[in-house]
Amino acid sequence: MPHHLMNLRHVLDDEADEIRALFEEHEVNYYETPPSFWGISMGGFWVHDDDEAERARQLLDEYQRQRLQTQRQAYEKGLATGEVGGVWTMIRRHPIRALAAVVAIAVIAGISLLPFLRL
């Protein structure tokens, strides 16, 4: 019976490439199904064998721990240098884009609520 190792929906290309390389390096006999464009199927990495699934899950767990550390370090470095920020950073860097987004949200909300306001 197939074992689903990892969902590929919303996975970045570089992460999927690193996982493929990891599986190939450790000779994990896996296959991959791509996620559908419309979000109907999730896609993912799969294996058939129970033992292979356990070994692949251990490799994935270790990879994800390492990736979490590297991504957290990159985020903290971005915060320290001012490259990464929250909403206020976005507003300060791109005020026109932020204003356009607020106007678009207000227009969409207004159009959506118009039938209810006329009751």
Side-chain angles (χ1 to χ4, degrees):
M1 183 170 172
H3 295 274
H4 186 244
L5 299 173
M6 182 178 174
N7 183 351
L8 284 179
R9 185 177 295 157
H10 308 298
V11 172
L12 300 175
D13 290 337
D14 69 320
E15 183 178 4
D17 292 339
E18 289 174 358
I19 293 171
R20 286 183 201 102
L22 176 72
F23 285 163
E24 290 171 10
E25 176 185 336
H26 291 280
E27 297 177 355
V28 174
N29 189 16
Y30 74 98
Y31 64 97
E32 179 180 349
T33 56
S36 71
F37 180 73
W38 299 105
I40 296 171
S41 68
M42 63 184 168
F45 292 114
W46 303 76
V47 294
H48 281 291
D49 187 20
D50 293 338
D51 297 330
E52 193 80 359
E54 183 62 34
R55 189 168 70 96
R57 283 195 180 102
Q58 290 174 355
L59 289 170
L60 270 176
D61 288 344
E62 179 60 30
Y63 166 77
Q64 288 176 343
R65 274 191 290 279
Q66 291 174 354
R67 180 149 175 113
L68 174 67
Q69 287 179 335
T70 58
Q71 292 299 312
R72 182 170 286 153
Q73 288 171 352
Y75 176 72
E76 289 172 358
K77 181 182 175 186
L79 280 176
T81 60
E83 296 173 7
V84 178
V87 174
W88 295 114
T89 303
M90 184 198 72
I91 291 172
R92 278 184 297 185
R93 286 191 184 158
H94 308 287
I96 295 174
R97 184 187 304 170
L99 180 63
V102 169
V103 169
I105 290 170
V107 167
I108 291 170
I111 291 172
S112 299
L113 296 174
L114 191 63
F116 300 106
L117 296 176
R118 289 191 173 189
L119 291 177

